[in-house]
Amino acid sequence: MGKSKDDEPVDMKGFKLPPAIGYEDMTQMDDMTLEGVLSNLKDRYAGDLIYTYTSSILVAINPFKRLPIYDKKWVKMYKGKRIGLISPHIYAIADATYTCMIEHKVNQSVLVSGESGAGKTESTKLILAFLSARTDRASPIETMVLESIPVLEALGNAKTGRNDNSSRFGKFIEIQFDDDYYIAGSKIIPYLLEKSRIVYPHEGERNYHIFYQMTVGMDDAEKKKYHLTKPKDYRYLNCSSCISIKGMDEAEELASFKRALGLFEVSPQIQDDMLKVLASVLHLGNVMWKPDGDKATIKDDKSNQHLAWAAELLSLDVEKLRFSLTHKLIKMRDETIEKPLNHELVRGQTDAFAKYVYSTLFDWMVNKLNECTCAEQFRQFIGVLDIFGFEKFDLNSLEQFLINLANEKLQQFFNHHIFKLEQKIYEEEQIDWSVIEFKDNQKCLDLIEKRRPPGILSILDEETKFPRATDETLIEKLHQNFDKKSEYYEKPRLKKVHFTVNHYAGGVEYDIVGWREKNRDEVPEMLSNLIKKSDNKFIALLYTESVAADPSGKMTVGAQFKQQLTDLMALLTQTEPYFIRCVKPNEDKLPDKFDEQLIHDQLLYAGMMETIAIRRMGYPVRYALDDFWKRYKVICPEVSLVRGDMTKTLNTLISALGLSIPGDTQIGKTKVFLKQDIANDLEDRRNVALTSTILKMQVWWRCVSARSRFCDSRKSSLKLQAWWRSGFRRKAFVAQHHKSIVLQSWYRMVMAMKRRKVLLEKKRKEDAKKPKKPKDEGLTDKEREKLRQIAAGELKISTEEAEAEEAARLKAEEKAAKKRAKMERTKSIMMKKGEQVEIPINVDGKITIGLGWKGGQWDMDASVLCFRYAEHRDDVYYYKPRSRDGGIVHRSGYAGFIRIKDGEDKDVEQIDINLTKVSPKTNTLVFVVTVFSEESNFSSIQDPYVRLVDTSTDNEFCRYNIEQSGSETAKIMCKLYRLGFSRWRLKAIGEPADGRLYKHMITQVRPYLQEAPPKRRFKVKLHRAKLKDMKAQYTGEESALSTFCEIRYDIDKAKSRVVKKSMTPQYKTARDVAGQGAVMEVIVKSYVRFGKEQTLARALIPLEAGTNIQEQWVKLEGLEKGRARGQTTVQGDLKISITETTPGVNLKAPGECNLTLDDSDVLNAPPKVGTDKKDKKDKSGGEKKKKKKK
């Protein structure tokens, strides 16, 4: 992977840490009073030292200004440094979580807590940034983790009275790590989005940032597109009299939001649809109603215009939207009544619809981020909890009540981990310890969430479900159950619909007006049904899936949030937690201003003094007895182990280490307890001892390695010298010997030529003396005629044999040419319904399904349903454009086209399929075409078609025209299914179906799928093969290949051993395979450079019931021309045995299984099983005998 700019080396020259001021760890302070703690924090804050330790707990004071302590140099400085080694910093906490995750093999968590405006969100962003840089590897997933922050801030953050960028929802971010502890993904778990802010932000506060980014940051053309103007023109934005934030550039924030969406594969079209939804929320807020008797009507033309714009942006009928907003659906036993509402209820119903539209889009965005960043498999994670801080306003409603409940739960978790659990361990281990009193908030939690007797949430749920309940009955029941019965509940004297809860951070007075409606959080059924029928595909699918995916059913908001908090506490309990206490220095959000009273209150209710006391007096670091001995015996190697008495051994070791008991450490029943500073000192001493030992080992290893290299070099030199001396002398001898042989040969040649001349002359003289005789002398006429007939017959036989051989050769060439033409077809063919066509597999295995028509651009859509037999595994459509295995990609019309020659039109939509990437478990792809608009069907579409294109050559392979008759809204076009493992076939279906979404098609394609056959097992033996290198045959070169066989059956595969440099390899390999297929494929391969495999030939073998093949030859087919380009390809035969070992299957007798495949079943089917070598010899021998006899 290439390096990014973040991987460039960091120059640390001249970098220095700031000088220390006060106590960096407050457990080491002499003045253990709250005033002493405040004085220490104030001195450090004045020197821009905003971080201070309390043992391993970090106190962070918000500076309200940018400090230069977060660049790459600071990241490098704290990388690999333990807590306390250098000055306090949030990077030290983040590095500690990463280090402990690796060493302890346990998930880690960081709990960032504090009031609103204390800097929790910024602290979370700093932790994420450090973990992304900590792994020293730049990857897209790390960039996506950081880029998810501006998306969430735009949709979920807003300005409050205490914070300009307050998170109005809680989130738990899991940073997931793989086996090598690199970031593999992330997951965001949201908690309680503040919906009431959408329709009514409080005075001096703002709505969510995205609305101001749209109304201020967009140019005039974009505003005109969404019918937007200035923020002050919208009721949802101007009701709080706060429009802008000092120093915030809305246009730049909007551009950052859109860039982040593009990184998460949100196309420009979907971004446009998202902005339409957001703009419609603003227009709904400007729709004003007036009473008309018992009904409500539009107040004026301006409201009517905003209603029309909202309907246009949501692709809804304006009259249907008007009717749904002003009526309520009442279901009786036998009928359904549409009841008109008065103008107050209509106003509430309009606001409820706006909140539903926005919150559903927010949930979809979070799921989209998780879909892009969440890892399918990971080893461990580090969780960062950024949840809303304790809130107390002039008007506190249900949202503040639930937010403060979450802070009560987190405080209880902190108390349990720091106080209860700590002291419980000391008691169990029976060490010398003094109990520390602390403030327990369990009774306050019982008041809020207890079921029996019922708490506040239980009573609220009862009143929410009771049809005749009112706010007065709710407050009356609360006073009746808790007034003067719980020390944490108070009844105000002069306020009728208020009550006070004394939280750990102080008392908060709550106004219960509207609590029942907020807790119910219902969307009118007429409106939810209407928006699901939107003409915009994205909006219709978004709000259809939101209803189908709602796991809460009819749970109230309070019950849902209570369950979320329970799950969160269970998750945190399974991790090793680290705590960051964020402190707000002043209410004015000014830098360098330290409000002692405000900070005093925050430290007091956070239990900071008790925390300092227990961390100072206690022993936060602990090891098991054996672990302590193994970890620190390296410091004192002279201490020996006393077998059977580990306590005595550890006492000796502790004495040798110079520690005191019980001052520095204590030994319990099963653990050794250490103070934090003592543990840090021991770690430093251990590192020194280990470094010394490692250096000695390195010195010894370098010595041994150098001597080994010297000995090897000396031994090699001696061998080389001896070889050189021998080779030099032998070379001289060979040259002399060669000269002698040449001389001897020349001498023998001269003597032989002289002797030949003498003999030839002698023979010539003898022949000259003898009389000449005719050749046929002594033969009768019949014998001469017979000789002539024999000569003529032999000539005729040789001529016939030559003609037969030439005819056979021409027939074979014609058959091969037909086969190549079948595989290399470049001209388009027209498919008919039910017809099947073989798929040509080119070099990279890529094909494209193209869809085209004439008419509206968004009338039709294509979907791909992926099956393994009848099991639905995956799907690809416009809004889910990529399969999980990456083999199928949906491209919309604007993404680019494959231009067709001969002047044909372009495709409107295309689907790319890479057959080499499609998961082996997927064996059937079904293509479905859908008409989405309600007013359209296939009769209204002009000249629709589907075609198959070879991606690499741009050649159209086949085309299928869609019938236009009928009123159906979907067509099951065709299916692409496997034959064996690497062969595919396309079958045209063209059957009509109903439904407008791809989900409707899953059940309707069942009749065209094959049920999964039972699982079968086979024992396969590969004996030997006879191969012929086709490339070497043409070039005339000798060939010797190193080959092996790969058996592919369904998703199972097995390999034979590798036979090196042989064209008649003896594999002698037996393997077991199992699966559900009907065809087994045997592939002959060889290794090429860099360990890559090259396919040479293959054979397809059908598997009938009870298959039993014993040592039979199978024909190997070479690769087709497209795939063999630039590669080696072979032909030949393979001897194989296949025995079915499935329990309960009767095996056939050897030789009964017919290995031939019909052309309608498998492309390039292997020939019938040939006979063995003896049969061929017998056959050829018989022909020779006949010929000889003739």
Side-chain angles (χ1 to χ4, degrees), residues 530-595:
L530 176 65
I531 197 170
K532 285 188 291 184
K533 298 178 181 180
S534 170
D535 292 336
N536 187 303
K537 291 197 293 184
F538 171 76
I539 296 175
L541 193 61
L542 172 64
Y543 293 95
T544 300
E545 291 181 347
S546 67
V547 175
D550 184 7
S552 59
K554 295 183 178 180
M555 289 181 64
T556 61
V557 173
Q560 294 178 41
F561 189 64
K562 179 181 175 182
Q563 183 61 43
Q564 286 182 324
L565 290 179
T566 302
D567 297 340
L568 175 62
M569 294 300 110
L571 179 62
L572 293 177
T573 305
Q574 299 173 1
T575 64
E576 290 185 354
Y578 284 81
F579 298 94
I580 299 178
R581 287 289 191 180
C582 295
V583 178
K584 186 176 182 180
N586 58 79
E587 293 286 0
D588 301 326
K589 295 180 283 189
L590 296 175
D592 302 324
K593 183 179 179 181
F594 193 88
D595 188 340

Side-chain angles (χ1 to χ4, degrees), residues 78 131 220 443 484 548 631 899 930 1062:
Y78 283 88
L131 292 176
D220 294 339
K443 292 183 179 179
K484 298 181 180 179
R631 189 171 186 84
R899 294 187 177 275
T930 308
S1062 174

Side-chain angles (χ1 to χ4, degrees), residues 491-496:
K491 175 183 177 182
R493 293 182 178 181
L494 302 178
K495 298 181 180 180
K496 296 182 179 180

Side-chain angles (χ1 to χ4, degrees), residues 906-917:
K906 300 177 181 178
D907 296 333
V908 178
E909 293 190 6
Q910 293 179 338
I911 299 174
D912 291 343
I913 305 174
N914 191 336
L915 299 176
T916 61
K917 287 187 178 181

Side-chain angles (χ1 to χ4, degrees), residues 387-559:
I387 204 163
F388 10 65
F390 185 82
E391 292 186 351
K392 181 180 179 181
F393 301 123
D394 295 334
L395 178 62
N396 300 287
S397 187
L398 179 63
E399 291 82 7
Q400 281 69 43
F401 181 74
L402 296 178
I403 287 173
N404 293 338
L405 169 62
N407 282 271
E408 288 282 357
K409 296 287 286 187
L410 291 178
Q411 182 66 25
Q412 184 197 39
F413 179 78
F414 179 82
N415 293 340
H416 174 78
H417 186 78
I418 298 299
F419 299 108
K420 289 184 180 180
L421 189 61
E422 190 93 2
Q423 301 192 65
K424 182 180 179 182
I425 293 175
Y426 295 159
E427 293 174 0
E428 292 175 351
E429 293 290 329
Q430 296 181 1
I431 66 173
D432 188 10
W433 171 253
S434 298
V435 177
I436 295 178
E437 298 295 333
F438 63 93
K439 185 178 180 181
D440 192 357
N441 64 337
Q442 182 60 49
K443 292 183 179 179
C444 183
L445 287 173
D446 293 341
L447 168 68
I448 296 174
E449 62 177 3
K450 197 171 183 180
R451 290 189 175 182
R452 294 290 182 271
I456 295 176
L457 283 180
S458 298
I459 294 176
L460 175 61
D461 288 345
E462 291 177 2
E463 292 294 298
T464 300
K465 297 175 182 178
F466 190 65
R468 296 184 179 179
T470 62
D471 294 338
E472 288 74 15
T473 60
L474 172 59
I475 194 65
E476 182 180 353
K477 187 172 290 188
L478 291 177
H479 291 336
Q480 182 181 356
N481 281 271
F482 306 119
D483 186 26
K484 298 181 180 179
K485 296 180 182 179
S486 174
E487 58 181 315
Y488 294 92
Y489 183 92
E490 293 182 5
K491 175 183 177 182
R493 293 182 178 181
L494 302 178
K495 298 181 180 180
K496 296 182 179 180
V497 289
H498 292 72
F499 69 93
T500 301
V501 176
N502 296 319
H503 294 283
Y504 75 96
V508 179
E509 186 178 282
Y510 297 103
D511 183 354
I512 67 164
V513 174
W515 277 34
R516 293 180 302 104
E517 289 74 15
K518 292 180 180 179
N519 192 42
R520 190 180 297 114
D521 193 28
E522 288 184 349
V523 181
E525 185 177 354
M526 292 180 66
L527 288 169
S528 63
N529 292 335
L530 176 65
I531 197 170
K532 285 188 291 184
K533 298 178 181 180
S534 170
D535 292 336
N536 187 303
K537 291 197 293 184
F538 171 76
I539 296 175
L541 193 61
L542 172 64
Y543 293 95
T544 300
E545 291 181 347
S546 67
V547 175
D550 184 7
S552 59
K554 295 183 178 180
M555 289 181 64
T556 61
V557 173

